[in-house]
Amino acid sequence: MIASILVGLVALIHVYIVYLEMVLWDTPRGHKAFGLTPEFAAASKVLAANQGLYNGFLAAGLIWGLYLGEAGFQVKTFFLLCVLVAGLYGAATANRKILYIQALPAALALIALWLGW
């Protein structure tokens, strides 16, 4: 039960990231969330939408794993590992706060999943 809640939370985080990257990127809210200047946001809007699409795939995979229930253990594990790697890479190359927003929730969900919580 705890693992399912945490997997659902990671999926919701990624749905929100999709919204930020694909819809709000070039708005004051998007600028604030990602620390962007209006000029940079306008110039990188297409790239951000593409990145948002990939985050959407991560969310979809986690939701699919939840839908499968216990049979989705491997699906959830795979997509949580993808989120964890993406979060670690993002924290190392873009912004350290990604470690806490993306990687840490994925790691906690993985631990709970693997422990059968």
Side-chain angles (χ1 to χ4, degrees):
M1 178 72 165
I2 293 171
S4 292
I5 291 169
L6 291 174
V7 171
L9 177 64
V10 173
L12 286 174
I13 289 168
H14 280 76
V15 167
Y16 183 63
I17 292 171
V18 169
Y19 183 65
L20 283 171
E21 292 175 338
M22 296 187 85
V23 178
L24 298 180
W25 186 262
D26 199 16
T27 68
R29 188 168 170 192
H31 301 167
K32 183 178 179 186
F34 295 104
L36 308 173
T37 64
E39 298 78 26
F40 181 81
S44 61
K45 186 173 183 171
V46 174
L47 293 173
N50 187 48
Q51 185 171 297
L53 184 62
Y54 285 95
N55 277 300
F57 293 141
L58 294 174
L62 293 170
I63 293 166
W64 176 36
L66 287 171
Y67 173 78
L68 293 173
E70 290 196 27
F73 177 84
Q74 292 173 331
V75 172
K76 290 179 272 195
T77 297
F78 173 78
F79 282 97
L80 286 170
L81 284 169
C82 289
V83 170
L84 179 60
V85 169
L88 292 172
Y89 185 79
T93 61
N95 190 324
R96 188 176 199 98
K97 74 178 183 178
I98 295 171
L99 183 68
Y100 305 106
I101 294 170
Q102 191 173 12
L104 181 60
L108 293 174
L110 268 171
I111 291 167
L113 184 66
W114 291 341
L115 292 177
W117 290 353

